[in-house]
């Protein structure tokens, strides 16, 4: 294990920002801290970076307790949401900054800066100043600057959130490729589930200062344990037990035994088939065309469903339909 986080808690006055966080990060692992605004992601990242002291708990990195190691001695590369480049320095000077303050010799600095410029595909822009760069280019420089000092761990705090959708997609791919190539353990904060699904080996879904579920992207999407995770990661149709019993009793077969009043059935939109049927129990409310697929909004008794299809295929507002839910693709989640 590269990083072991044990029992970390942090309060701001009476407000509990982190409650008893336990987590491990493997040698080459890419971990995403995912959750809505205010759930404690940045606070946890800052504790790991050494920029904020936890009230309780322990951080161990490569077998060494970090409690006495200040942020600057941890040798972690940090990239923040705002690019935070030095405005009066060129691209090359920004990237070489960390090496210069370590008094590395000029030849080594020049060589390292040149390697990193190649890595981020910006060799031709080495003499530009930050204000002469696009947002995506600035964020690439920030990443290269963090990598220049051969960090033992990379910490990324929403590095892509200021970029427009197309550039964000490109940058995601680049961060993914760079991290895979260098194999440095990485922790990234994001509230964007799509980003987490694409980049992470492991997603840590946080809720109100606690960890709700840790797992691979497939685990969180296909096997969420709680309603919160099912709702936050991807789109889900959540059906209360009483509804399932009344309308689709055959789906009750896989429900965990025992007293579970607080269980709901989670069904993803792509796991429901829609059939036109004159006396079907459900009604199409609208069909949204999304390019490569359509979302069909359907009312069935008192529940609204979202179903994903390749095309409209004759479905229109007001059409009567029946829905086939694949029992093997559903999972029960706690509320
Ligand atoms: P976002 O996605 O909006 O950045 P987040 O999940 O990263 O959210 P944090 O920044 O970790 O959330 O904040 C968690 C909670 O702690 C929030 O309610 C925030 O208001 C509070 N908080 C964070 N820093 C401080 C501080 N220095 N003083 C007081 N409260 C703070």
């Amino acid at each position: 294990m590269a990083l072991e986080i044990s029992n970390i808690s942090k309060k701001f006055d009476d407000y509990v920002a982190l409650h008893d966080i336990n987590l491990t990060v493997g040698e080459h692992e890419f971990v995403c801290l995912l959750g809505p605004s205010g759930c404690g992601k940045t606070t946890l990242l800052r504790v790991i970076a050494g920029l904020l002291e936890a009230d309780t708990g322990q951080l161990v990195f490569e077998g060494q307790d970090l409690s006495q190691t200040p942020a600057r001695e941890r040798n972690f590369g940090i990239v923040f949401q705002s690019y935070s480049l030095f405005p009066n320095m060129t691209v090359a000077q920004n990237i070489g900054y960390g090496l210069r303050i370590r008094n590395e010799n000029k030849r080594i600095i020049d060589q390292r800066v040149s390697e990193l410029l190649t890595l981020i595909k910006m060799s031709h822009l080495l003499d530009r100043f930050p204000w002469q760069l696009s947002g995506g280019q600035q964020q690439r420089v920030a990443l290269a600057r963090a990598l220049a000092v051969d960090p033992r761990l990379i910490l990324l705090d929403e590095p892509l959130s200021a970029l427009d959708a197309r550039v964000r997609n490109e940058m995601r791919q680049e961060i993914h490729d760079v991290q895979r190539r260098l194999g440095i353990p990485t922790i990234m904060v994001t509230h964007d589930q799509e980003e987490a699904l694409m980049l992470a080996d492991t997603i840590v879904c946080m809720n109100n200062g606690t960890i709700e579920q840790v797992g691979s992207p497939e685990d969180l999407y296909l096997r969420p344990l709680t309603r919160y995770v099912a709702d936050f990661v991807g789109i889900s149709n959540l059906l209360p037990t009483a509804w399932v019993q009344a309308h689709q009793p055959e789906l009750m077969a896989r429900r965990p035994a025992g007293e579970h009043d607080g269980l709901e059935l989670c069904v993803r939109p792509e796991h429901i088939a829609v059939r036109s049927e004159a006396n079907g129990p459900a009604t199409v409310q609208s069909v949204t065309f999304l390019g490569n697929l359509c979302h069909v909004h359907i009312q069935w008794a008192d529940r609204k469903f979202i179903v994903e299809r390749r095309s409209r295929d004759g479905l229109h507002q007001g059409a009567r339909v029946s829905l086939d839910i694949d029992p093997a693709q559903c999972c029960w989640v706690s509320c």
Side-chain angles (χ1 to χ4, degrees), residues 137-156:
Q137 289 167 337
Q138 289 186 54
Q139 208 49 309
R140 271 192 207 115
V141 176
L143 181 64
R145 188 177 60 180
L147 293 172
V149 291
D150 290 324
R152 302 188 295 168
L153 178 71
I154 302 174
L155 301 173
L156 306 169

Side-chain angles (χ1 to χ4, degrees), residues 12 15 17 35-44 81 157-158 189 191:
F12 294 110
Y15 183 81
S37 184
C39 71
K41 308 178 296 289
T42 298
T43 303
L44 180 56
Q81 178 174 354
D157 190 356
E158 305 244 14
V189 162
H191 61 263

